[in-house]
Amino acid sequence: MDLAEMTANMSLQNVNGKLQKKREDYIDWREYFMAMAFLAAKRSKDPSSQVGACVVNKENKIVGIGYNGMPLGCDDEVFPWGKNTPSPLDSKYLYVCHAEMNAILNKNAADVKDCSIYVGLFPCNECAKIIIQSGIKEVIYLSDKHAHKPETVASKRMFDAVGVKYWQFTPKNEKIEINFSDIDWNNMSPRK
């Protein structure tokens, strides 16, 4: 019996008279990683832009997660969250760490070389530099709403120059819901 036959037989085992097979409604890897980036974005305290990022290695293991927020030790009750302020010093832009930076700095591996990064919003030029310097080889983004801005144009120029691939993710599902009551742990059949 070859591996394919063994796998087919294992997935169709007859247990207690019932035919057993795997669930068919699970999400694929890409959907999972983008959903993780979106879940991380829920941690952001930014009132106008919540962005998350998820760094993934070649083995489909998450090696870093991040979201946009103030640097460690910079009290987010003291530092500004405004956008269009009279003085740049009163704007969030000089202070907030972007999701990509935080995901790379929060890595749980020696490095992120040859990894992919999933992010809700196309990276700015500063994040593009960090992505390139860290060795990430692929950027998967959901929105490119700032495509017209010089910062985004510069990002794409740098990515193109060094061979970092980037492409827009199209979700299969409009939403992925996390409902903590979906799994009824009390009524699951016990392991034997």
Side-chain angles (χ1 to χ4, degrees), residues 9-135:
N9 286 340
M10 288 170 51
S11 66
L12 297 176
Q13 290 178 19
N14 191 343
V15 178
N16 294 332
K18 294 181 183 175
L19 196 60
Q20 300 291 307
K21 52 186 212 179
K22 70 180 181 181
R23 281 181 47 234
E24 298 293 333
D25 61 342
Y26 59 91
I27 58 175
D28 67 26
W29 285 116
R30 290 178 173 164
E31 201 109 19
Y32 172 66
F33 298 135
M34 188 59 79
M36 292 300 290
F38 268 68
L39 184 60
K42 295 284 188 185
R43 285 282 310 139
S44 176
K45 295 176 183 174
D46 190 320
S48 58
S49 298
Q50 302 83 45
V51 181
C54 179
V55 180
V56 180
N57 69 16
K58 291 179 181 179
E59 289 81 38
N60 285 330
K61 293 180 182 168
I62 296 172
V63 296
I65 294 276
Y67 55 89
N68 58 316
M70 293 295 169
L72 292 175
C74 293
D75 189 338
D76 53 33
E77 296 292 333
V78 175
F79 282 83
W81 288 105
K83 289 170 55 169
N84 302 315
T85 60
S87 168
L89 290 172
D90 296 328
S91 168
K92 69 178 182 174
Y93 295 116
L94 296 180
Y95 307 103
V96 170
C97 296
H98 287 183
E100 300 92 330
M101 175 195 295
N102 281 329
I104 292 166
L105 291 174
N106 292 340
K107 69 185 182 305
N108 61 12
D111 61 45
V112 293
K113 188 175 185 209
D114 298 325
C115 287
S116 298
I117 189 166
Y118 288 75
V119 64
L121 191 59
F122 196 91
C124 70
N125 62 306
E126 292 300 320
C127 289
K129 291 184 238 179
I130 294 167
I131 288 166
I132 291 165
Q133 291 296 87
S134 70

Side-chain angles (χ1 to χ4, degrees), residues 155-173:
S155 295
K156 291 176 182 177
R157 282 184 184 173
M158 288 186 282
F159 288 155
D160 290 341
V162 300
V164 170
K165 294 182 211 162
Y166 54 90
W167 56 275
Q168 190 166 25
F169 177 75
T170 304
K172 292 179 185 172
N173 299 293

Side-chain angles (χ1 to χ4, degrees), residues 134-180:
S134 70
I136 289 175
K137 295 296 182 198
E138 182 180 38
V139 175
I140 301 98
Y141 62 94
L142 190 69
S143 172
D144 195 10
K145 76 176 188 173
H146 300 300
H148 64 285
K149 292 187 174 181
E151 295 87 346
T152 306
V153 173
S155 295
K156 291 176 182 177
R157 282 184 184 173
M158 288 186 282
F159 288 155
D160 290 341
V162 300
V164 170
K165 294 182 211 162
Y166 54 90
W167 56 275
Q168 190 166 25
F169 177 75
T170 304
K172 292 179 185 172
N173 299 293
E174 182 180 324
K175 66 180 181 176
I176 296 173
E177 184 177 60
I178 297 175
N179 181 340
F180 290 113

